[in-house]
Amino acid sequence: MAVPHPSSAVVLKEDRLDYTPFPSSVSLARRRTARLVGEWGYPGVAGDASLIVSELAGNALLHGRVLGRLFRVHLMLTASVVRIEVSDARGEQCPKPRSPADDEQFGRGLLIVDALAARWGVTPRTVGKTVWAEIDLGRAENGSGNRAD
């Protein structure tokens, strides 16, 4: 599912920030995402966006961590989507959804991303990878948080 960001999409708003690979960075990224997406006029999808960032940043921390390297959260708003990208330095560790047992504590993050995002995938980089997800803005009604599915 490696669909890169469409080059024809005009980015209306954008935010990019590098984080230290510590657990507190995941909550910082989640809160920043919720605030920015709301400020950009889409409070109805801010919760979904922040949960996706939390899951992808958590994966970058757990599976993509390289000593001395940061992970990056890049948010983009176009006329039709909120795009979330989380980049880390470990390209050999590509995420794949799995079916954890009921008593397993971990393993549901990408299932959550898949449920909330219209599409998601992985793009290799020269060093590392970017895991991205897109939320279609047509799914929210007037920024109220109600979906028009």
Side-chain angles (χ1 to χ4, degrees):
M1 206 186 227
V3 179
H5 185 276
S7 59
S8 61
V10 175
V11 176
L12 304 173
K13 302 274 185 177
E14 181 173 26
D15 182 72
R16 184 179 304 126
L17 191 62
D18 294 337
Y19 292 88
T20 55
F22 296 113
S24 60
S25 294
V26 175
S27 61
L28 290 172
R30 180 180 62 243
R31 287 193 307 267
R32 182 179 180 89
T33 297
R35 181 179 56 79
L36 287 171
V37 173
E39 287 175 1
W40 292 348
Y42 294 94
V45 298
D48 287 355
S50 67
L51 185 52
I52 289 169
V53 164
S54 184
E55 295 300 336
L56 297 182
N59 282 350
L61 181 67
L62 290 172
H63 308 295
R65 186 175 181 172
V66 172
L67 189 61
R69 300 295 302 262
L70 305 174
F71 70 90
R72 172 173 288 172
V73 177
H74 186 184
L75 306 174
M76 290 166 274
L77 174 69
T78 71
S80 59
V81 301
V82 171
R83 183 175 174 97
I84 299 157
E85 296 181 351
V86 177
S87 301
D88 64 56
R90 293 197 64 190
E92 74 278 6
Q93 294 274 44
C94 285
K96 293 181 179 130
R98 58 187 202 94
S99 299
D102 290 341
D103 61 347
E104 284 186 81
Q105 182 178 0
F106 298 102
R108 292 170 183 78
L110 290 176
L111 297 174
I112 292 169
V113 170
D114 191 56
L116 296 176
R119 48 216 146 265
W120 71 274
V122 181
T123 303
R125 299 171 44 153
T126 303
V127 174
K129 67 182 172 305
T130 296
V131 184
W132 58 268
E134 292 182 340
I135 299 172
D136 287 339
L137 295 176
R139 292 174 58 185
E141 290 179 2
N142 303 324
S144 65
N146 298 323
R147 292 196 172 158
D149 290 342

